[in-house]
Amino acid sequence: MKCNMQGCTGEYEERTITHTLRQRGQVVVIDHVPAEVCPICGDVLLKPETVQHIEELLKKASQPDASVPLYEYV
Ligand SMILES: [Zn+2]
């Protein structure tokens, strides 16, 4: 599929990404999320079912499987 970004000639590729989101003010990172990624501009598309899966996963998850260091850009 062609990239949605104006002027970009890239085609989305199936990849797994590290998805970062904010939930109730907390930064949450989910690894190995299937997504469509444009190799040229880096635009990322998540399928609606993937977004739904993440929401369900976060509802059920109590303890994370791992934690990551988080640094502020200062
Ligand atoms: Zn692109």
Side-chain angles (χ1 to χ4, degrees):
M1 190 172 61
K2 253 189 72 68
C3 182
N4 288 334
M5 291 293 146
Q6 226 175 9
C8 181
T9 56
E11 296 249 348
Y12 291 104
E13 292 175 357
E14 294 265 353
R15 291 207 198 152
T16 57
I17 60 160
T18 305
H19 185 57
T20 306
L21 65 149
R22 216 169 250 277
Q23 202 197 29
R24 289 179 234 109
Q26 272 198 315
V27 179
V28 178
V29 183
I30 304 169
D31 208 3
H32 305 120
V33 177
E36 309 268 329
V37 182
C38 173
I40 294 179
C41 69
D43 190 42
V44 172
L45 289 182
L46 292 179
K47 292 188 180 123
E49 58 261 39
T50 305
V51 174
Q52 206 184 350
H53 184 85
I54 289 171
E55 280 170 11
E56 278 165 24
L57 194 142
L58 289 176
K59 254 186 249 164
K60 277 185 257 163
S62 47
Q63 287 294 313
D65 294 318
S67 60
V68 294
L70 177 71
Y71 298 96
E72 290 286 345
Y73 178 87
V74 285

Tab-separated table of all heavy atoms in Angstrom, residues 47-69:
chain	number	residue	atom	x	y	z
A	47	LYS	N	-3.401	-1.340	12.510
A	47	LYS	CA	-4.741	-1.777	12.119
A	47	LYS	C	-5.687	-1.576	13.301
A	47	LYS	O	-5.273	-1.690	14.455
A	47	LYS	CB	-4.717	-3.261	11.744
A	47	LYS	CG	-3.948	-3.536	10.472
A	47	LYS	CD	-4.129	-4.994	10.048
A	47	LYS	CE	-3.346	-5.267	8.771
A	47	LYS	NZ	-2.388	-6.360	8.933
A	48	PRO	N	-6.973	-1.324	13.002
A	48	PRO	CA	-7.945	-1.137	14.096
A	48	PRO	C	-7.953	-2.326	15.059
A	48	PRO	O	-8.056	-2.139	16.275
A	48	PRO	CB	-9.289	-1.009	13.389
A	48	PRO	CG	-8.961	-0.605	11.987
A	48	PRO	CD	-7.592	-1.135	11.675
A	49	GLU	N	-7.804	-3.557	14.523
A	49	GLU	CA	-7.821	-4.721	15.421
A	49	GLU	C	-6.558	-4.776	16.294
A	49	GLU	O	-6.592	-5.291	17.397
A	49	GLU	CB	-8.018	-6.031	14.638
A	49	GLU	CG	-6.982	-6.317	13.573
A	49	GLU	CD	-7.468	-5.941	12.176
A	49	GLU	OE1	-8.148	-4.895	12.038
A	49	GLU	OE2	-7.167	-6.680	11.226
A	50	THR	N	-5.467	-4.215	15.772
A	50	THR	CA	-4.248	-4.168	16.576
A	50	THR	C	-4.416	-3.190	17.740
A	50	THR	O	-4.051	-3.475	18.875
A	50	THR	CB	-3.044	-3.732	15.699
A	50	THR	OG1	-2.953	-4.607	14.576
A	50	THR	CG2	-1.751	-3.781	16.484
A	51	VAL	N	-5.014	-2.036	17.441
A	51	VAL	CA	-5.262	-1.032	18.484
A	51	VAL	C	-6.183	-1.617	19.547
A	51	VAL	O	-5.953	-1.454	20.756
A	51	VAL	CB	-5.893	0.244	17.864
A	51	VAL	CG1	-6.298	1.227	18.948
A	51	VAL	CG2	-4.918	0.885	16.889
A	52	GLN	N	-7.209	-2.350	19.095
A	52	GLN	CA	-8.156	-2.963	20.018
A	52	GLN	C	-7.461	-4.022	20.871
A	52	GLN	O	-7.692	-4.099	22.077
A	52	GLN	CB	-9.280	-3.608	19.210
A	52	GLN	CG	-10.564	-3.712	19.988
A	52	GLN	CD	-11.632	-4.448	19.203
A	52	GLN	OE1	-11.477	-4.726	18.004
A	52	GLN	NE2	-12.714	-4.775	19.867
A	53	HIS	N	-6.599	-4.788	20.237
A	53	HIS	CA	-5.865	-5.821	20.961
A	53	HIS	C	-4.997	-5.199	22.052
A	53	HIS	O	-4.920	-5.701	23.174
A	53	HIS	CB	-5.001	-6.625	19.992
A	53	HIS	CG	-4.280	-7.769	20.630
A	53	HIS	ND1	-4.863	-8.995	20.812
A	53	HIS	CD2	-3.036	-7.858	21.166
A	53	HIS	CE1	-4.001	-9.792	21.431
A	53	HIS	NE2	-2.888	-9.137	21.646
A	54	ILE	N	-4.354	-4.077	21.738
A	54	ILE	CA	-3.507	-3.386	22.710
A	54	ILE	C	-4.357	-2.908	23.893
A	54	ILE	O	-3.965	-3.055	25.047
A	54	ILE	CB	-2.778	-2.200	22.040
A	54	ILE	CG1	-1.698	-2.732	21.087
A	54	ILE	CG2	-2.159	-1.268	23.089
A	54	ILE	CD1	-1.061	-1.681	20.216
A	55	GLU	N	-5.538	-2.346	23.589
A	55	GLU	CA	-6.409	-1.863	24.660
A	55	GLU	C	-6.816	-3.005	25.591
A	55	GLU	O	-6.808	-2.852	26.817
A	55	GLU	CB	-7.662	-1.204	24.062
A	55	GLU	CG	-7.378	0.212	23.598
A	55	GLU	CD	-8.515	0.813	22.782
A	55	GLU	OE1	-9.609	0.217	22.744
A	55	GLU	OE2	-8.289	1.870	22.171
A	56	GLU	N	-7.152	-4.153	24.999
A	56	GLU	CA	-7.553	-5.306	25.812
A	56	GLU	C	-6.389	-5.832	26.632
A	56	GLU	O	-6.533	-6.183	27.801
A	56	GLU	CB	-8.116	-6.412	24.914
A	56	GLU	CG	-9.565	-6.153	24.570
A	56	GLU	CD	-10.058	-6.998	23.402
A	56	GLU	OE1	-9.459	-8.060	23.160
A	56	GLU	OE2	-11.022	-6.575	22.748
A	57	LEU	N	-5.226	-5.863	25.978
A	57	LEU	CA	-4.009	-6.323	26.646
A	57	LEU	C	-3.707	-5.459	27.878
A	57	LEU	O	-3.367	-5.968	28.952
A	57	LEU	CB	-2.876	-6.221	25.634
A	57	LEU	CG	-1.540	-6.892	25.858
A	57	LEU	CD1	-1.046	-7.425	24.520
A	57	LEU	CD2	-0.532	-5.904	26.377
A	58	LEU	N	-3.882	-4.139	27.721
A	58	LEU	CA	-3.576	-3.228	28.828
A	58	LEU	C	-4.618	-3.319	29.936
A	58	LEU	O	-4.305	-3.099	31.099
A	58	LEU	CB	-3.469	-1.793	28.313
A	58	LEU	CG	-2.228	-1.504	27.462
A	58	LEU	CD1	-2.278	-0.084	26.916
A	58	LEU	CD2	-0.951	-1.709	28.262
A	59	LYS	N	-5.869	-3.643	29.557
A	59	LYS	CA	-6.923	-3.805	30.557
A	59	LYS	C	-6.620	-5.002	31.440
A	59	LYS	O	-6.822	-4.980	32.643
A	59	LYS	CB	-8.276	-4.006	29.860
A	59	LYS	CG	-9.172	-2.783	29.924
A	59	LYS	CD	-10.530	-3.110	29.336
A	59	LYS	CE	-10.728	-2.366	28.020
A	59	LYS	NZ	-11.833	-2.928	27.222
A	60	LYS	N	-6.123	-6.087	30.792
A	60	LYS	CA	-5.883	-7.334	31.514
A	60	LYS	C	-4.559	-7.301	32.269
A	60	LYS	O	-4.430	-7.883	33.331
A	60	LYS	CB	-5.870	-8.511	30.526
A	60	LYS	CG	-7.260	-9.012	30.193
A	60	LYS	CD	-7.184	-10.244	29.314
A	60	LYS	CE	-7.506	-9.907	27.861
A	60	LYS	NZ	-7.084	-10.905	26.906
A	61	ALA	N	-3.574	-6.636	31.684
A	61	ALA	CA	-2.220	-6.679	32.240
A	61	ALA	C	-2.154	-5.952	33.575
A	61	ALA	O	-2.606	-4.816	33.693
A	61	ALA	CB	-1.245	-6.056	31.250
A	62	SER	N	-1.636	-6.618	34.568
A	62	SER	CA	-1.448	-5.948	35.847
A	62	SER	C	0.019	-5.563	36.000
A	62	SER	O	0.355	-4.408	36.175
A	62	SER	CB	-1.905	-6.849	36.997
A	62	SER	OG	-1.383	-8.155	36.827
A	63	GLN	N	0.883	-6.560	35.883
A	63	GLN	CA	2.320	-6.303	35.980
A	63	GLN	C	2.938	-6.389	34.590
A	63	GLN	O	2.628	-7.314	33.841
A	63	GLN	CB	2.978	-7.366	36.875
A	63	GLN	CG	2.674	-7.202	38.355
A	63	GLN	CD	3.286	-5.929	38.931
A	63	GLN	OE1	4.450	-5.633	38.702
A	63	GLN	NE2	2.505	-5.180	39.672
A	64	PRO	N	3.801	-5.450	34.262
A	64	PRO	CA	4.467	-5.561	32.957
A	64	PRO	C	5.407	-6.760	32.911
A	64	PRO	O	5.882	-7.230	33.952
A	64	PRO	CB	5.258	-4.253	32.838
A	64	PRO	CG	5.219	-3.598	34.156
A	64	PRO	CD	4.201	-4.267	35.007
A	65	ASP	N	5.654	-7.259	31.711
A	65	ASP	CA	6.565	-8.387	31.541
A	65	ASP	C	8.019	-7.965	31.748
A	65	ASP	O	8.869	-8.778	32.070
A	65	ASP	CB	6.411	-8.988	30.136
A	65	ASP	CG	5.033	-9.611	29.956
A	65	ASP	OD1	4.573	-10.287	30.898
A	65	ASP	OD2	4.413	-9.410	28.902
A	66	ALA	N	8.282	-6.696	31.515
A	66	ALA	CA	9.624	-6.176	31.729
A	66	ALA	C	9.515	-4.671	31.890
A	66	ALA	O	8.481	-4.086	31.574
A	66	ALA	CB	10.524	-6.500	30.537
A	67	SER	N	10.554	-4.034	32.387
A	67	SER	CA	10.527	-2.577	32.496
A	67	SER	C	11.724	-2.001	31.759
A	67	SER	O	12.722	-2.673	31.545
A	67	SER	CB	10.524	-2.140	33.961
A	67	SER	OG	11.676	-2.611	34.602
A	68	VAL	N	11.585	-0.756	31.329
A	68	VAL	CA	12.657	-0.111	30.572
A	68	VAL	C	13.063	1.173	31.271
A	68	VAL	O	12.255	1.817	31.920
A	68	VAL	CB	12.203	0.212	29.130
A	68	VAL	CG1	11.952	-1.047	28.330
A	68	VAL	CG2	10.981	1.111	29.118
A	69	PRO	N	14.319	1.553	31.136
A	69	PRO	CA	14.722	2.849	31.690
A	69	PRO	C	14.064	3.963	30.873
A	69	PRO	O	13.983	3.863	29.649
A	69	PRO	CB	16.243	2.874	31.480
A	69	PRO	CG	16.639	1.537	31.000
A	69	PRO	CD	15.411	0.876	30.439
